Amino acid sequence: MPDKHKNFSEWYTEILTRAQLIDIRYGVKGAIVYLPNAMDIVDRIFQMFEEELRKTGHRKVLFPVFIPEENLKKESEHFRGFEGEVFWITKAGYRDLDKKLALRPTSETAMYPMFNLWIKSHKDLPLKVFQSVSVYRYETKATRPLLRGREFLWIEAHDAFKNEEEARKQVEQDMEIFKKVVLEKLGIPFVHLKREEFDKFAGAVDTYAFEAVLPDGRMLQIGTTHYLGTNFSRVFSIEYLDIDESHKLVHQTCFGIGISRILAALISIHGDEFGLVLPFSIAPIQIVIIPIPKKDADVEQIKKICLTLTDKLKAKGYRVEADLSDKTPGEKFYKYDMLGVPIRIEVGPREVKTGKITIFRRDKRKRISIPINELERKIRELEKEILNNLRSKAEEEFKNRFREVSNKQQLIELARKGNFIIKAGFCGREECAEQIKAETGYEVRGMNIKEKPKKTTCIWCGQPTTKTVYIAKAY
Ligand SMILES: [Zn+2]
């Protein structure tokens, strides 16, 4: 495998194929086939988010992929933002359609005409729904599997509330949900950035993005949450009758979770030169058992131990496999390292004799020997340890990416050196952001909402400001 840090692009392309995650030979630009090894992981990521969404009062819905043209066009800013990316259906069978249909690029304009029918009274609020689907966007930039596609997997949650205060609380809750799954369960560090005015989601009042950093130092937006205010409820007339008998517009939020991109981040951030490295909880195979017979006479006894162990661990609910094939142990090690199986158990003559067992953990590539009767306890312990190790390694690397600069020359020089996440003062003007991009290739990604404003000057134009933003190369 190529070096992940020196040659990320090649490493990434190779791992998708070698770990049998994605097949890119489908023949439609920006469209990929997710293989079973990827879907096993994807399903679990979906489940983790869906569980958190349900815990916070959301219920699952499924809307049609078709959006009538007149609905998509209703909120003009929203439409302008997506116009260049919409796939249209204009013909069905032999007939041209009277009314064009869009394939959903996102579902505000699919759902909100129905919200209008469902919401009548304050008793119907809050309304909190989500769906787990594919969306379609005609990307004109170069597509990359999982990172930028014309069809990708996501979850979108759409909520309606009585007032701004409740809606803004939801935005905070969305951030908590994201942290619980992405950082705590998948070990992927990220920052919350408030997007600049000129970079908001089309139709939103405020946009907050979740940004991970890939090994090449580029930021990857893996999710967003938006406070929509009454921008959509006004055009779709989503009103409720309040306790005081007055009609009011609902305040809305939407929350997009980029499952395809989260998978890309998971593969890229934890993977190494031997292949995939996965947290125990989402690995398609959690434990593999490999016999290491030294001479022919041992074979049957060792295989028997392997199968007994497999049954025992399966009964405990683990996803475990014994590989009793004719391949050499070395070939098997190579294969399961590539697939990212977190725990490997090796059973050889020494193990049979001493009642001890050898465990290899993929994340640290270390062998340990334990008494066989301690196996289950050790697995439970490793499950947590592996995740903690992956997360702290990723956080360490993440922290080392950040650099603060205080003048234009420093910014230009640092940008020339490589891909860092640069913190600098910023005036908020699109013009400055455009010039930074043109000169350095870096983009203004927004401000970390957890950092307090402080007096500084715009890194580009020198204007006084209290805003510090993150500037980075991005996917
Ligand atoms: Zn400026």
Side-chain angles (χ1 to χ4, degrees):
M1 293 279 289
D3 187 301
K4 185 176 91 168
H5 289 98
K6 285 189 191 131
N7 212 336
F8 174 67
S9 184
E10 269 180 43
W11 179 89
Y12 182 71
T13 307
E14 283 218 11
I15 200 167
L16 293 184
T17 310
R18 291 223 222 162
Q20 298 156 33
L21 294 161
I22 298 295
D23 200 324
I24 56 168
R25 298 171 297 178
Y26 185 68
V28 175
K29 187 176 155 61
I32 54 171
V33 179
Y34 292 73
L35 298 172
N37 285 345
M39 282 315 292
D40 276 359
I41 300 170
V42 161
D43 278 345
R44 292 195 177 93
I45 300 175
F46 268 120
Q47 277 167 21
M48 287 174 178
F49 275 110
E50 291 188 2
E51 195 185 314
E52 293 302 326
L53 285 164
R54 286 178 200 276
K55 270 192 222 160
T56 52
H58 292 82
R59 299 200 63 199
K60 193 173 188 175
V61 291
L62 182 58
F63 271 72
V65 69
F66 309 120
I67 303 179
E69 182 179 18
E70 54 180 306
N71 287 355
L72 191 68
K73 282 185 168 169
K74 232 170 192 164
E75 210 288 331
S76 57
E77 212 176 294
H78 180 71
F79 184 65
R80 261 202 309 278
F82 281 99
E83 194 174 8
E85 296 181 11
V86 177
F87 281 99
W88 290 105
I89 302 173
T90 57
K91 200 173 171 176
Y94 300 115
R95 298 168 65 178
D96 290 327
L97 296 180
D98 302 337
K99 289 182 176 175
K100 283 200 284 183
L101 297 170
L103 294 184
R104 65 170 160 250
T106 173
S107 300
E108 286 73 15
T109 60
M111 291 190 180
Y112 301 166
M114 300 305 292
F115 279 25
N116 161 295
L117 301 173
W118 297 342
I119 297 170
K120 296 293 170 205
S121 139
H122 62 92
K123 290 174 201 152
D124 301 322
L125 295 172
L127 177 68
K128 297 168 117 183
V129 294
F130 72 93
Q131 63 179 1
S132 300
V133 291
S134 290
V135 284
Y136 303 86
R137 295 181 188 174
Y138 178 68
E139 285 286 355
T140 49
K141 289 188 199 168
T143 58
R144 293 291 309 276
L146 303 176
L147 293 167
R148 183 176 293 281
R150 290 182 175 174
E151 178 184 34
F152 59 88
L153 299 169
W154 84 344
I155 297 175
E156 49 182 324
H158 294 267
D159 299 359
F161 301 92
K162 279 188 253 180
N163 53 43
E164 175 168 355
E165 193 195 345
E166 285 181 26
R168 291 216 183 255
K169 268 198 191 129
Q170 183 59 48
V171 170
E172 278 168 36
Q173 193 170 65
D174 294 345
M175 293 180 188
E176 279 306 308
I177 291 173
F178 210 83
K179 190 175 150 204
K180 261 190 194 157
V181 177
V182 175
L183 179 67
E184 290 171 16
K185 294 189 176 161
L186 303 177
I188 302 171
F190 61 89
V191 277
H192 286 137
L193 297 182
K194 185 178 183 204
R195 289 275 190 255
E196 290 296 313
E197 278 299 304
F198 54 80
D199 197 24
K200 287 186 315 193
F201 174 70
V205 175
D206 287 319
T207 289
Y208 304 89
F210 308 99
E211 306 249 25
V213 179
L214 296 195
D216 60 356
R218 286 173 187 248
M219 277 192 150
L220 180 71
Q221 175 184 304
I222 49 179
T224 49
T225 174
H226 315 277
Y227 170 56
L228 301 175
T230 55
N231 290 349
F232 285 90
S233 59
R234 201 176 310 117
V235 294
F236 289 100
S237 306
I238 312 171
E239 285 182 351
Y240 69 97
L241 188 64
D242 208 351
I243 305 172
D244 63 5
E245 298 288 305
S246 66
H247 289 272
K248 287 177 183 155
L249 291 172
V250 297
H251 286 250
Q252 290 177 275
T253 61
C254 62
F255 178 23
I257 302 165
I259 302 292
S260 298
R261 281 185 156 193
I262 291 172
L263 176 62
L266 182 83
I267 295 167
S268 309
I269 291 169
H270 299 321
D272 63 17
E273 67 266 40
F274 299 96
L276 214 53
V277 181
L278 295 170
F280 192 82
S281 65
I282 57 159
I285 304 172
Q286 295 173 312
I287 304 162
V288 64
I289 302 176
I290 296 179
I292 322 265
K294 285 285 180 332
K295 46 183 201 302
D296 290 347
D298 296 322
V299 176
E300 285 317 308
Q301 196 193 0
I302 289 172
K303 280 187 177 177
K304 223 173 111 189
I305 296 175
C306 289
L307 290 174
T308 313
L309 263 181
T310 308
D311 288 344
K312 220 171 136 190
L313 293 172
K314 261 191 190 155
K316 293 282 170 189
Y318 293 116
R319 297 185 288 278
V320 49
E321 271 181 25
D323 187 342
L324 306 181
S325 70
D326 292 336
K327 286 184 194 138
T328 65
E331 287 170 323
K332 292 177 189 176
F333 295 168
Y334 176 85
K335 173 183 169 186
Y336 296 103
D337 274 0
M338 185 59 71
L339 295 178
V341 176
I343 295 175
R344 181 169 88 210
I345 297 173
E346 300 170 6
V347 183
R350 194 179 64 89
E351 280 79 5
V352 174
K353 228 179 270 162
T354 59
K356 281 192 162 186
I357 207 164
T358 300
I359 294 183
F360 172 85
R361 55 186 279 196
R362 173 67 182 88
D363 62 325
K364 288 196 164 172
R365 298 189 52 74
K366 252 193 197 155
R367 277 190 176 83
I368 38 170
S369 179
I370 57 155
I372 196 159
N373 56 10
E374 280 181 26
L375 180 63
E376 281 170 42
R377 187 192 55 78
K378 191 67 192 170
I379 291 171
R380 279 196 302 274
E381 192 182 294
L382 280 178
E383 181 169 358
K384 284 187 206 116
E385 266 183 37
I386 290 170
L387 178 60
N388 287 342
N389 175 48
L390 292 180
R391 186 174 46 221
S392 59
K393 250 172 75 182
E395 280 181 323
E396 191 59 32
E397 203 176 309
F398 185 72
K399 265 189 264 160
N400 288 336
R401 285 280 173 196
F402 293 86
R403 298 282 186 283
E404 192 148 5
V405 298
S406 54
N407 67 58
K408 197 171 175 171
Q409 204 47 44
Q410 281 179 335
L411 172 66
I412 293 170
E413 269 166 31
L414 202 55
R416 213 174 281 147
K417 268 190 210 156
N419 299 341
F420 297 98
I421 311 301
I422 299 176
K423 286 170 74 177
F426 183 67
C427 63
R429 292 187 306 144
E430 188 169 12
E431 207 184 315
C432 280
E434 277 171 358
Q435 286 175 16
I436 292 171
K437 173 109 198 252
E439 187 102 0
T440 65
Y442 275 50
E443 292 171 34
V444 172
R445 304 296 285 175
M447 154 182 115
N448 187 341
I449 51 165
K450 294 200 176 121
E451 287 169 10
K452 281 193 189 121
K454 61 171 186 204
K455 274 191 186 167
T456 177
T457 54
C458 175
I459 193 75
W460 206 255
C461 67
Q463 217 178 74
T465 177
T466 55
K467 198 188 291 188
T468 298
V469 296
Y470 288 60
I471 307 173
K473 280 197 181 163
Y475 279 95

